[in-house]
Amino acid sequence: MLPQSSSVKGAMKNGAKYGAIAGLIATWSISTAIAASELELGLPIGAFYAVMGVSLGAGDFGSAAYLGFGLHLLTGALLGAIIGLVMCRFAMMKFLNPYRAVVAGIGAGVVVWLVLFLPVTALLVQPSMARISFLLAESMPLQSAALGNANQFVWGIALSAIAFHLVWGAIFGYVASAFLRIRAFRMTHPEKGMMQ
């Protein structure tokens, strides 16, 4: 009984580790898409992260953007670890199939958007709208005039963020599945799977 318990703990540990790495990769990838959308909207790169940083108390655009970006990466890695742990705990064999893993990842992205992103927007960003509007007007006067109502802008971002979370989930699911398939290959073919 002890070896089976040990193998379950090992699988869960690997699931959390692979999930954290997959979450970090997916979050970094989405950060690139966010930067591209900021350029498309005529905003400086980092505007999305600056909104989050200002909500957390940063006083200028640069430090707010770095704070928001760092926390975004950390959150993606932590959520990835949790989702990876759950994946391995309940149905690891299903996630060896990359298509199932992508679908599960997309579902996880929707849950993250509903359970984390929307409440953070409502409870943290919304009460900071005056400071955010001031920072937008101070840091990017031309863009803030074009954006109009900052409150409406933030809720527009919140609604469009579902697409980013769906893509995050798909990337996360595929990368996590790849790690699990590599691990399974190494376990079944130790002579081929280990590099000396």
Side-chain angles (χ1 to χ4, degrees), residues 133-158:
S133 296
F134 177 76
L135 178 73
L136 287 173
E138 184 180 83
S139 300
M140 22 184 200
L142 296 176
Q143 290 92 345
S144 66
L147 293 175
N149 183 358
N151 188 31
Q152 192 175 20
F153 170 70
V154 168
W155 281 108
I157 288 174

Side-chain angles (χ1 to χ4, degrees), residues 77-139:
L78 289 174
L79 288 171
I82 292 167
I83 296 166
L85 183 74
V86 170
M87 282 172 59
C88 282
R89 174 68 177 114
F90 293 106
M92 185 174 96
M93 295 308 287
K94 289 181 182 178
F95 298 111
L96 291 173
N97 178 326
Y99 300 111
R100 286 184 179 172
V102 167
V103 170
I106 289 171
V110 171
V111 170
V112 167
W113 181 75
L114 283 170
V115 173
L116 185 65
F117 186 84
L118 286 181
V120 165
T121 301
L123 300 174
L124 189 64
V125 175
Q126 192 68 30
S128 304
M129 286 312 300
R131 289 186 61 223
I132 291 168
S133 296
F134 177 76
L135 178 73
L136 287 173
E138 184 180 83
S139 300

Side-chain angles (χ1 to χ4, degrees), residues 30-43 48 164:
I30 288 304
S31 296
T32 304
I34 289 170
S37 68
E38 288 170 336
L39 287 175
E40 179 65 28
L41 292 171
L43 299 171
F48 167 78
F164 290 109

Side-chain angles (χ1 to χ4, degrees), residues 1 3 8 17-18 25 30 36 57 59 75 81 86 90 94 101 109 135-136 140 145-146 156 171 177 190:
M1 189 89 172
V8 169
K17 177 175 67 174
Y18 298 151
I25 290 169
I30 288 304
T75 302
V86 170
F90 293 106
K94 289 181 182 178
L135 178 73
L136 287 173
M140 22 184 200
I171 294 169
S177 175

